[in-house]
Amino acid sequence: MALSGLDIFKRLPKTNCKDCGFPTCLAFAMQLAAGKVELEKCPHVSEEAKAELAEASQPPILKVEVGAGEEQFKVGEETVMFRHERTFVNPNAFAITIDDDMDDVDERVKKIESLKYERVGQILKIDAICVRNKSNNRDKFIKVSEKVSSLTKKPLIFVSSDVETLKVIGDKLKEKKPLLHGADTASVDEFINIGKSTGCPIVVRGKSFTEIMEVTEKMRNAGIKNLVIDIGSRNLKEDFYNQIALRAAAIKKKNRLLGYPTIVFPCEMTDNPLKEALIASIFVAKYGSIIVLANPSPQNIYPLLVYRQNIYTDPRQPMQVEEKVYEIGSPNEDSPVLITTNFSLTYFIISGEVENSKVPSWLLVMNVEGQSVLTAWAAGKFVPEEIAKFIKRSGIENKVKHRSLVIPGYVAQLQGELEDELGNEWKVVVGPREAGEVPRFLREYVSS
Ligand code: SF4
């Protein structure tokens, strides 16, 4: 079990030096116990105390990595029940099933690989493939598992009730660090051996919290912490309750034996693709770490990926793009210069419309901490004095020979003052208010 704030306090230097940013060692200890601060913030902890406190400073839900290489994903590390308390840390992973009795394995892998979309600068995609042993034929399952592994770099999850088969697959594919499903009270000793010899993450399954804790305790005592919990009954109501109860046990009760990411199987709760997507959306919010689906149709997957992106966006930090001069098309020294703010949505909408205009342009994107144009203006960040400084530091004056700047129509009132701030070297032109009007505006602007 996790140490309490007082347990931690006893191991701190108790000098109240404030170097950690907290007024007292006790305040720091309480925050550390709540998982809200890192132990490293106190530079004066002895090595002995560090070792003792290492566990307390770990997040209440441990991080688990699945797969290897650039497609590896991680889940866990969550510290709160609700997103508004702080933030959710690692987005849930989506996996699509391939069963070893399917005839179209190649086609299905291709289809899963094709589920990839770009939205506000992020790539949204399926994270893993879950190979299930449906044939009850050991050789067939191993053969299909190896085939899927050869066709994709995505992390793999292997589900079989045959421990020996999982041992063979774990040995053969250990470099890829697949997730093996799963250990229960009867097979825990064999899985401890598999975990030690392959280093693969392992799913712990059980019908009750007591069963799960029995297995995770044995695993932990054997030094295996790369665990994922499956407490699924494959019944939506029960599994929904279980996910919430698990999260609460780990975060509120600080129960380390239940402090692991989870895996849920909407694919085994319904045969209806639409219902599967709806059930999956429930587990995105509450609190499935790996969500396994059977239906890879884009019309169901895309909304789920967008929904996940929204849930896992830090509400305290607007999505933003880098401040710089963006080239759209192949602009030259005569091309138009437009300016906007670095809120991702603003940037992607405006840059898309500039691209649609087919007028090569320079788009100046100013850092206003990810706020939209009007919000940044109201907050005093997108104002003439700051814009003028940005124009100078952006280097745009070395890229164009004209001095004409298009500002968003929503801040038309800045026109005169901005020209003054720029020493009347630049002519400031008011652009359209709506992004959709940008193509027509640009075409007329360059032909005028
Ligand atoms: Fe105490 Fe360490 Fe914080 Fe100083 S830096 S107040 S010693 S916890």
Side-chain angles (χ1 to χ4, degrees):
M1 295 286 170
L3 296 174
S4 70
L6 281 179
D7 292 331
I8 295 170
F9 173 66
K10 285 178 199 158
R11 292 162 173 86
L12 292 176
K14 301 188 202 67
T15 57
N16 297 334
C17 71
K18 302 186 179 62
D19 287 352
C20 56
F22 291 90
T24 61
C25 293
L26 183 59
F28 178 76
M30 299 315 259
Q31 293 298 310
L32 185 61
K36 292 183 177 169
V37 69
E38 306 289 324
L39 180 60
E40 287 69 38
K41 291 274 179 204
C42 171
H44 311 296
V45 188
S46 70
E47 286 306 315
E48 189 189 344
K50 255 187 206 162
E52 288 177 6
L53 293 171
E55 173 142 327
S57 65
Q58 287 182 333
I61 296 177
L62 293 185
K63 174 177 77 177
V64 171
E65 293 171 337
V66 180
E70 58 193 39
E71 297 244 11
Q72 179 191 65
F73 69 82
K74 57 183 176 177
V75 284
E77 291 191 290
E78 303 301 336
T79 59
V80 293
M81 292 293 293
F82 304 106
R83 199 180 73 135
H84 61 260
E85 293 175 70
R86 202 174 181 197
T87 184
F88 290 165
V89 180
N90 289 313
N92 70 269
F94 287 114
I96 302 274
T97 54
I98 290 183
D99 297 336
D100 64 352
D101 56 1
M102 286 176 169
D103 298 326
D104 58 342
V105 170
D106 300 63
E107 282 307 307
R108 203 162 159 90
V109 172
K110 266 190 213 154
K111 185 154 196 182
I112 295 167
E113 294 280 350
S114 73
L115 296 167
K116 194 172 185 182
Y117 313 91
E118 184 175 353
R119 184 173 182 269
V120 288
Q122 291 181 356
I123 300 295
L124 311 181
K125 59 184 172 60
I126 292 296
D127 307 277
I129 294 178
C130 176
V131 187
R132 294 187 297 184
N133 183 358
K134 292 280 184 175
S135 67
N136 286 326
N137 178 323
R138 180 178 291 178
D139 293 340
K140 190 165 187 184
F141 183 56
I142 292 171
K143 202 171 151 198
V144 171
S145 298
E146 287 187 292
K147 181 171 188 184
V148 173
S149 174
S150 72
L151 292 172
T152 184
K153 288 186 175 149
K154 287 193 186 295
L156 299 168
I157 301 166
F158 294 109
V159 180
S160 175
S161 52
D162 179 2
V163 188
E164 271 309 306
T165 309
L166 289 176
K167 183 177 180 327
V168 173
I169 290 173
D171 279 339
K172 281 179 184 275
L173 302 177
K174 62 184 169 197
E175 301 304 321
K176 291 195 158 187
K177 293 287 173 279
L179 177 62
L180 305 177
H181 183 299
D184 59 12
T185 48
S187 60
V188 59
D189 293 331
E190 288 153 292
F191 272 97
I192 286 172
N193 291 334
I194 295 174
K196 282 183 177 169
S197 66
T198 65
C200 293
I202 290 170
V203 175
V204 173
R205 61 192 167 99
K207 289 192 170 52
S208 67
F209 285 19
T210 313
E211 274 185 30
I212 295 282
M213 286 163 64
E214 192 182 319
V215 181
T216 54
E217 185 165 31
K218 280 190 177 173
M219 289 280 200
R220 284 176 75 95
N221 291 343
I224 296 173
K225 294 185 181 174
N226 230 4
L227 303 174
V228 172
I229 292 177
D230 175 6
I231 193 169
S233 62
R234 311 304 188 247
N235 168 286
L236 174 59
K237 189 175 169 190
E238 275 182 47
D239 283 1
F240 178 64
Y241 166 80
N242 282 337
Q243 293 304 309
I244 295 171
L246 273 174
R247 174 70 65 103
I251 288 179
K252 290 189 168 171
K253 305 281 184 200
K254 311 252 178 281
N255 186 334
R256 288 286 186 196
L257 296 180
L258 297 174
Y260 298 96
T262 63
I263 186 167
V264 289
F265 290 82
C267 59
E268 294 177 11
M269 296 179 199
T270 177
D271 291 329
N272 179 316
L274 189 56
K275 272 193 190 162
E276 182 189 67
L278 284 171
I279 293 170
S281 71
I282 290 169
F283 289 119
V284 171
K286 304 247 177 240
Y287 291 108
S289 312
I290 301 172
I291 300 175
V292 186
L293 306 161
N295 174 34
S297 60
Q299 64 268 32
N300 287 348
I301 296 299
Y302 181 70
L304 281 173
L305 293 172
V306 171
Y307 178 54
R308 173 181 71 178
Q309 186 184 35
N310 286 318
I311 293 286
Y312 281 89
T313 298
D314 188 339
R316 300 164 308 172
Q317 293 197 341
M319 294 173 77
Q320 46 190 290
V321 293
E322 186 189 351
E323 173 182 284
K324 68 175 191 182
V325 180
Y326 289 82
E327 296 180 22
I328 300 178
S330 299
N332 59 32
E333 58 187 13
D334 296 315
S335 298
V337 177
L338 301 91
I339 187 167
T340 190
T341 65
N342 73 329
F343 177 42
S344 283
L345 218 51
T346 302
Y347 165 74
F348 284 104
I349 290 171
I350 295 294
S351 60
E353 294 298 348
V354 174
E355 215 171 307
N356 288 343
S357 75
K358 306 272 187 272
V359 178
S361 303
W362 303 96
L363 181 60
L364 306 187
V365 174
M366 180 172 156
N367 178 16
V368 291
E369 295 167 15
Q371 293 180 340
S372 64
V373 168
L374 270 182
T375 313
W377 168 72
K381 291 176 183 157
F382 196 61
V383 291
E385 191 184 342
E386 297 305 321
I387 297 172
K389 284 185 202 159
F390 169 54
I391 299 286
K392 297 291 173 196
R393 72 174 177 267
S394 71
I396 188 64
E397 290 177 334
N398 300 323
K399 296 181 191 290
V400 291
K401 64 180 186 202
H402 67 82
R403 291 291 181 263
S404 186
L405 173 70
V406 180
I407 61 171
Y410 275 111
V411 286
Q413 69 275 20
L414 303 184
Q415 186 180 26
E417 209 183 319
L418 181 54
E419 284 182 343
D420 291 347
E421 284 290 345
L422 289 163
N424 291 311
E425 292 171 26
W426 284 76
K427 179 180 166 214
V428 175
V429 178
V430 176
R433 287 166 73 97
E434 302 301 334
E437 296 164 20
V438 165
R440 187 168 56 85
F441 169 85
L442 274 178
R443 285 194 288 269
E444 289 174 4
Y445 180 67
V446 290
S447 63
S448 62

